[in-house]
């Protein structure tokens, strides 16, 4: 069983929680906890061995936790996701492969693209692909996308190189449930064309950042980041090419963490129990 | 306060330990635990806020832990170390600098060298340097070194590029208390001249390994390892030169972890709560 | 145009080669050269701009190079490869994806498996899959595999987690043309079950190595290596899982380098112009 | 001999240069070249074996290079540097150690501090330390610093955690000769308190950047950058502490490259032949 808890911090939380587990004859395999002192916030992820009534256990836990605590006993094991794409295949293909072999930790319900170039790879994997091109009125397109997503009722929406900026109205429908991969080590090179910016600045490393999407472009809580070294011999195009590898890896890592209930969000930061 | 515990695993350990802390009004800042299932072994490192009688607390803890448990409440905060060297300066100098600025987490009591080239740098830092050259009969030299070390009664002996193999008889005096830096990513290239071996094998990365010393050469529990990339343009001498940087960094990291009571040893492995 | 040269070293090689290019009005975009002094061996990779008769240029070059020089002007741009697999999908799937989107730098002609679990993923990508199970007499199976490979006449054979050891007789058919991915940072943990070995040794990093296959198991020239950090919380099974990511990445990198004519082999080492 | 060349690009440069070397019986050990196509700029670094009249060779070279070419045959092998510091010891100590053991590739002439806390470590290494505190009128202090530096006539000025912003007037005295270490992966977190910024943004990696100083704060040509991973458990103070290791390493790398004549500056970028 997996148990995740987020609440105000107070003395004795660990003792109270572990006492409940102990009296339920549940053996702790792994206990990860973090206290954000500045925010006075407590985060915990437990893996326990044994059998227990989930509802009863959650109720017992809630009894010792402060008001407003977030607690989940055995969060949905196989999450459902919808993937949004534009033209680049690398992140999507990686997700489809893992989905196909049952190692994604989620089921891909469908793919939504604003271009049709990635329809074929979805067909190869028998995943529905919906083309929703952008109209002049962006709000119309977004409403269409929202309707499609909601018809599938996913746990998360994954922007696998979706190259359009989503409006706050869109994001409001899926708070802390939209995951984006941005092709720079944020906060460097937010916005458009990060590799061109990186090339012009002459940096010696480029990166990628997976984050939850909030109202502010590229300002949401960061889940994972990585970099690779570059040098003077890289053109902006070379950076784009090399960057794809790291984008794929970072998004894969972020999904593994999120889908495995290892990521907690509080305000604009994440707690990640890797 | 820091509390470290190592014992046989059993159900309820976390609950029992955290209950004691809670009733002593000690607030858990950080709790790290690991269960080695194969060995049925429990490891825990706690940082807690508050005031308590150390002896009473340890006794209380011992009451709930299985027989043979290792427990330390507030292990010695500033450890004492003796450093052994041959001719290479990089690891020693790094240690002396940190020692001098109070950031090593230990006090360097003295340095023992089997050559005198590093006497001057010790003089610069007002650290006693003892030259104990190797005699034909290695056992004689080792006895001299052991006597010198024991006269200082250090917590750890650090081999900062000490290029002689210590006998089991030597090591037996300081079980799990001798830390070595080996210039390869063990178990690759154990023994003499690892960079030459690496060059001849044509590897694309070289590394360094910090480990506790046991009877078997380069076979002791590993504390930390790191690598750097190399390529065809590196001669064996270039590898030696580049390797020094990583040797220094890995030994520094291992010392930081050990001196901060973050490393547990069980059989031939370590548990490291970074 | 790409030009690759390997020969005995002698004074004036660069001058002679660049003079020929200059008089042919070919502009050097990139010139990479390496001299292995120990072996007195010269390696060069050129990218040049402009138009020239390939055969004439090669003949001119040969005129200034020492006897026995290897020279290729515009080596085959799109190599052909055959992939061999057992049951693990990650490396194969990565290759099929890149092949499908035209970014592999090669065409996958077919896949040969000694189990049939990866037939389906090949079908999805319209790549022929041949099941050649191992007989009691391994030599029979190998002859069958060799015949199948030769019927496709590939430039390279890629062992994408092919879990059988190939005999020297097999390898002799494809000298320096069989590329393997081994799941450890060689020379550590050669042979079977490297992750189990790594787990038992308690290493703090695990890795993967792509290399050309020679008669000696896991002893061939290394093309690329990479590592990821692990710690005490990893079981051997966790290492297997995490290792797959690095295996995929390292094999992809090695293929990119080899298929782009950036890898030279001499005796048991490679020169890699990244 | 080392030869470095920077000039406008034109066809035949490599041929012309290597012909001159060849007729002077100089054997090329290593030739590194780069053409910046966007800027039509040619960069080359040569290591050659053999004996030749430096002045004559340079004149011959200049004869075949375009007007305005920068060429140096055997640039000063042991550079002279002045180091500027505030209170943090780690970068300075690393430089002093290397200087003391003759592995810096430069001689440290003196250290200038705007506080006196680092006088003692300079005394230990017999390096003159000058305290030049900041007056209310910053220009006065800068004039004093400039006078002191100029009295030593160094090749480079190294800001080893000098925590004051230098005015354009200061920088104008030493174009492309002032090297700074900034404690972030620029362009992220330029300006003051980068670790605090990093903590507040919740990034998963922190870094350091060594760069030449220009008029624009933290905007000069980047020489080297590196990062280390961090996570939610790091306070801003922890980041400061961990960051010191990477700052030291990145500045050491940048100095090794610059002092070894491996770094070329053109406009706001560097070409680095590692």
């Amino acid at each position: 069983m997996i148990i995740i808890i987020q609440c105000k911090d107070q003395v004795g939380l660990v003792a109270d929680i572990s006492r409940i587990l102990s009296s339920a004859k549940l053996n702790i395999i792994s206990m990860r906890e973090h206290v954000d002192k500045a925010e006075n916030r407590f985060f915990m992820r437990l893996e326990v061995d044994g059998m227990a009534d989930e509802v009863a256990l959650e109720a017992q836990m809630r009894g010792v936790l402060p008001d407003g605590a977030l607690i989940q006993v055995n969060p949905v094991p196989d999450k459902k996701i919808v993937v949004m794409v534009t033209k680049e295949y690398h992140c999507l293909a990686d997700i489809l492969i893992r989905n196909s072999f049952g190692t994604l930790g989620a089921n891909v319900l469908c793919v939504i693209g604003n271009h049709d170039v990635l329809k074929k790879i979805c067909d190869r994997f028998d995943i529905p692909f919906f083309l929703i091109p952008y109209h002049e009125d962006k709000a119309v397109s977004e409403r269409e996308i929202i309707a499609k997503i909601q018809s599938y009722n996913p746990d998360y929406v994954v922007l696998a190189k979706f190259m359009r900026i989503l409006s706050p109205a869109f994001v409001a429908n899926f708070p802390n449930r939209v995951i984006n991969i941005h092709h720079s080590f944020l906060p460097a090179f937010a916005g458009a064309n990060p590799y061109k910016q990186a090339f012009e600045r002459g940096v010696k490393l480029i990166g990628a950042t997976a984050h939850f999407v909030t109202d502010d472009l590229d300002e949401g809580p960061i889940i994972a980041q990585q970099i690779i070294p570059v040098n003077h011999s890289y053109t902006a195009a070379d950076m784009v090419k090399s960057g794809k590898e790291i984008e794929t890896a970072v998004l894969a890592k972020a999904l593994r963490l999120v889908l495995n209930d290892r990521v907690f969000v509080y305000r604009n930061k994440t707690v990640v129990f890797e």
Side-chain angles (χ1 to χ4, degrees), chain A:
Chain A
M1 296 174 74
I2 288 171
I3 304 166
I4 55 177
I5 299 168
Q6 183 185 153
C7 60
K8 267 195 305 187
D9 190 30
Q10 66 186 30
V11 179
L13 277 176
V14 174
D16 289 341
I17 293 165
S18 50
R19 183 179 39 77
I20 292 172
L21 296 175
S22 178
S23 44
K25 308 279 183 229
L26 295 167
N27 198 18
I28 298 171
I29 297 166
S30 154
M31 168 183 272
R32 300 293 303 273
E33 54 85 39
H34 173 65
V35 177
D36 184 329
K37 288 185 166 187
E39 303 281 359
N40 195 40
R41 196 85 187 159
F42 175 87
F43 304 86
M44 179 173 270
R45 183 181 188 278
L46 290 153
E47 291 182 31
V48 299
D49 239 358
M51 298 262 289
D53 181 294
E54 294 176 14
V55 177
L57 187 64
E58 189 174 314
Q60 264 188 293
M61 291 278 189
R62 202 171 289 281
V64 302
L65 298 177
D67 285 354
L70 307 170
I71 171 166
Q72 277 186 285
V73 175
N74 275 345
V76 182
D78 272 303
K79 313 282 193 293
K80 295 170 293 176
I81 66 173
V82 166
V83 183
M84 291 174 62
V85 297
T86 297
K87 290 180 179 175
E88 289 175 272
Y89 72 85
H90 53 290
C91 288
L92 173 63
D94 185 69
I95 290 169
L96 292 177
I97 288 283
R98 291 174 202 261
N99 185 61
S100 166
F101 285 94
T103 56
L104 182 63
N107 292 311
V108 178
L109 302 175
C110 74
V111 175
I112 298 171
N114 59 334
H115 287 82
D116 65 359
V117 292
L118 296 175
K119 182 178 189 311
K120 188 169 178 190
I121 185 71
C122 293
D123 289 349
R124 288 190 190 276
F125 285 97
D126 308 316
I127 299 292
F129 175 91
F130 300 102
L131 174 64
I132 305 182
Y134 264 58
H135 300 88
E136 266 177 52
D137 183 351
K138 179 175 156 177
V140 175
S141 306
E142 286 200 351
R143 276 197 298 275
E144 202 178 334
I145 295 171
I146 290 168
K148 181 57 73 184
I149 293 173
Q150 287 175 336
S151 76
Y152 276 96
N153 191 28
D155 295 287
Y156 294 98
V157 176
V158 178
L159 308 183
K161 302 287 289 178
F162 182 72
M163 305 306 278
R164 287 283 188 154
I165 295 165
L166 296 167
S167 70
F170 181 101
V171 175
N173 286 277
F174 315 100
N176 287 343
R177 290 166 53 205
V178 181
I179 296 166
N180 184 42
I181 179 75
H182 181 79
H183 36 317
S184 81
F185 50 98
L186 289 172
F189 312 128
N193 253 331
Y195 291 123
K196 187 158 170 289
Q197 293 181 58
F199 172 75
E200 282 166 5
R201 182 61 186 89
V203 291
K204 300 302 184 189
L205 46 83
I206 58 174
T209 303
H211 63 98
F212 289 107
V213 178
T214 56
D215 290 4
D216 297 317
L217 174 67
D218 301 329
E219 289 290 327
I222 293 172
I223 306 164
Q225 299 188 285
Q226 249 177 293
I227 59 94
I228 46 169
V230 294
N231 60 45
H232 58 265
S233 76
Y234 283 67
T235 62
D238 292 334
M239 290 184 184
V240 169
K241 203 170 151 190
S242 296
K244 285 183 206 298
E245 307 291 326
I246 203 84
E247 293 164 20
T248 308
V250 170
L251 182 57
K253 181 181 176 184
L255 290 179
R256 180 175 55 72
L257 292 167
V258 169
L259 297 170
N260 208 4
D261 301 298
R262 295 178 175 277
V263 180
F264 297 70
V265 181
Y266 187 66
R267 299 191 191 259
N268 206 46
K269 290 188 188 180
T270 61
V271 170
V272 179
F273 294 129
E274 283 195 50

